[in-house]
Amino acid sequence: MTQEEKTQIEERIVDVLKTVYDPEIPVDIYELGMIYKIDVKEDASVDIDMTFTAPNCPAADFILEDVRTKVEGVEGVASANINLVFEPAWDQSMMSEEARMELGF
């Protein structure tokens, strides 16, 4: 797999991640800054490191499954491994400008 193919797959993954929402927040998880790493591997598997805005997020299982299902549905992705991480801890500075405006920050 070429670097260009990996980049195209990563762009499609970002597009699909922008359709995943925490039910309590009207901004997608990508714009919230909850995605720390997207790593497309040679075998078309993908490792994603992500976090939550709070460690005890009541929708955690739902969001993780939504991410995994949607990423595995992306053309060119064979499988997705979603790693839940809490380092560094999420804070509001990780949000995009668009997310800050949407939430009134």
Side-chain angles (χ1 to χ4, degrees), residues 33-53:
M34 292 168 50
I35 303 299
Y36 288 171
K37 178 185 86 171
I38 301 170
D39 184 19
V40 180
K41 305 215 179 268
E42 288 296 323
D43 65 356
S45 66
V46 177
D47 285 338
I48 294 178
D49 288 355
M50 68 171 290
T51 194
F52 290 111
T53 57

Side-chain angles (χ1 to χ4, degrees), residues 10 17 23 29 31 38 54 70 73 95:
E10 186 174 330
L17 289 173
I29 64 168
E31 296 297 335
I38 301 170
K70 288 182 175 179
M95 292 190 292

Side-chain angles (χ1 to χ4, degrees), residues 52-103:
F52 290 111
T53 57
N56 57 351
C57 175
D61 291 341
F62 167 78
I63 295 169
L64 287 171
E65 184 60 22
D66 199 23
V67 168
R68 189 188 62 74
T69 301
K70 288 182 175 179
V71 170
E72 286 183 345
V74 169
E75 180 185 345
V77 173
S79 64
N81 180 40
I82 314 303
N83 303 305
L84 185 57
V85 298
F86 292 102
E87 290 294 324
W90 181 90
D91 66 53
Q92 293 179 2
S93 70
M94 296 172 173
M95 292 190 292
S96 68
E97 190 62 35
E98 177 182 313
R100 285 191 194 110
M101 289 177 60
E102 177 72 28
L103 296 173

